[in-house]
Amino acid sequence: MSTSSRYDSLRKQSRMLEGLIQTKLSSYSKLAQSVTRTASDLEAGSADSERFRDLGNDLEELLEKLRDTNEETSGLLNDTINPPTSTMLHTLQRQRDVMQEYTREFARTKTNAQAALDKVNLLNNVRSDINSYKAAHSSVTDSLLGERSRIDSSHQMMDETLNQVYATRDEFGSQRSTLSGINTRMGGVLSTLPGINSLLGMIHSRRRRDSIIIGCLIGSLTLFLFWYMTG
């Protein structure tokens, strides 16, 4: 293939790559602007995040191909036997300028988008730390409230038990007072009837005498039966 034909082929390839880069770079820049305005679009796993990453990879590959094409064109035009025309040199310089401009724009857009992503990650980390702090303290607070509730319940049970003890003590005191009153009244009745003590003594003596007589009688009968059975 002649130098002219090879040059034309490389120039066409360069223009094709420039067109693809310009289209993708435009989409990349719009997506980055949207992401910068609403940083949440760059959250991990989102559709915009995946698209942004894919576009960045495509642009890096296309810029590398354009760089290789321009280098090959430059090497082709360094032929001393068939020196390039001024138009060829001007076209090569324009291609280099375009590639540098696209490279700078891509790097600037990627840097701005990455800054937005870092900001989102920082905010997410701070939010996560705050939520963890709240959850930890909420757990401690719930535990303390539960312990306080159990202590209050224990105090209530103790109060009820003490109230029952006091009520029982009061009831015993009332019964003791009642018994004391009965004993006092009985003593009063007995003191007003002096003959009753003598009567009661005679009754007890008669009971003891009857018990002795009955015991002797039973013993005599037992001895008589024993003598009768063995005689």
Side-chain angles (χ1 to χ4, degrees), residues 3 12 24 34 39 69 90 96-97 101 114 122 134 137-139 141 148 159 166 171 185-186 196 202 217 222 228:
T3 301
K12 290 179 181 179
K24 288 184 177 293
S34 175
T69 300
H90 177 74
R96 287 174 174 174
D97 293 340
E101 180 182 356
Q114 186 62 44
L122 177 61
K134 288 181 177 179
H137 282 70
S138 176
S139 177
T141 302
R148 176 62 182 274
D159 291 340
Y166 292 149
E171 184 177 356
R185 287 194 296 272
M186 289 294 294
I196 292 179
M202 292 175 63
L217 181 60
T222 302
Y228 178 78

Side-chain angles (χ1 to χ4, degrees), residues 193-206:
L193 299 174
I196 292 179
N197 288 330
S198 299
L199 180 60
L200 291 175
M202 292 175 63
I203 292 173
H204 288 308
S205 298
R206 187 171 181 177

Side-chain angles (χ1 to χ4, degrees), residues 145-161:
L145 290 176
E147 187 65 23
R148 176 62 182 274
S149 177
R150 289 190 291 271
I151 293 174
D152 291 341
S153 179
S154 298
H155 287 171
Q156 183 178 0
M157 291 178 63
M158 291 177 64
D159 291 340
E160 292 177 355
T161 302

Side-chain angles (χ1 to χ4, degrees), residues 205-220:
S205 298
R206 187 171 181 177
R207 285 183 177 177
R208 284 197 299 270
R209 185 188 62 187
D210 291 343
S211 297
I212 292 172
I213 293 171
I214 292 173
C216 292
L217 181 60
I218 293 173
S220 297

Side-chain angles (χ1 to χ4, degrees), residues 35-200:
V35 164
T36 304
R37 287 195 301 268
T38 57
S40 60
D41 289 344
L42 266 182
E43 292 180 355
S46 66
D48 287 339
S49 176
E50 295 294 334
R51 183 184 176 196
F52 187 81
R53 187 182 302 109
D54 292 341
L55 278 175
N57 294 334
D58 291 345
L59 281 169
E60 288 179 351
E61 293 179 1
L62 290 173
L63 286 171
E64 184 65 26
K65 289 180 179 179
L66 180 60
R67 186 177 298 106
D68 292 341
T69 300
N70 290 340
E71 291 297 329
E72 187 175 353
T73 302
S74 177
L76 182 66
L77 296 181
N78 285 333
D79 189 358
T80 57
I81 298 177
N82 297 310
T85 63
S86 58
T87 301
M88 292 179 177
L89 293 176
H90 177 74
T91 301
L92 176 60
Q93 185 59 44
R94 187 198 66 79
Q95 291 174 353
R96 287 174 174 174
D97 293 340
V98 170
M99 184 192 68
Q100 291 178 357
E101 180 182 356
Y102 285 164
T103 301
R104 286 194 299 269
E105 183 176 354
F106 171 69
R108 182 176 63 254
T109 303
K110 184 178 181 179
T111 300
N112 292 336
Q114 186 62 44
L117 177 60
D118 293 340
K119 180 180 179 181
V120 170
N121 290 334
L122 177 61
L123 292 176
N124 287 338
N125 291 334
V126 171
R127 188 180 297 111
S128 178
D129 291 341
I130 292 174
N131 292 335
S132 298
Y133 178 83
K134 288 181 177 179
H137 282 70
S138 176
S139 177
V140 173
T141 302
D142 292 341
S143 178
L144 292 176
L145 290 176
E147 187 65 23
R148 176 62 182 274
S149 177
R150 289 190 291 271
I151 293 174
D152 291 341
S153 179
S154 298
H155 287 171
Q156 183 178 0
M157 291 178 63
M158 291 177 64
D159 291 340
E160 292 177 355
T161 302
L162 289 175
N163 290 333
Q164 292 177 0
V165 171
Y166 292 149
T168 303
R169 185 193 62 182
D170 294 339
E171 184 177 356
F172 284 162
S174 177
Q175 292 178 0
R176 184 169 58 251
S177 298
T178 301
L179 292 174
S180 297
I182 293 173
N183 290 333
T184 302
R185 287 194 296 272
M186 289 294 294
V189 171
L190 294 175
S191 64
T192 58
L193 299 174
I196 292 179
N197 288 330
S198 299
L199 180 60
L200 291 175

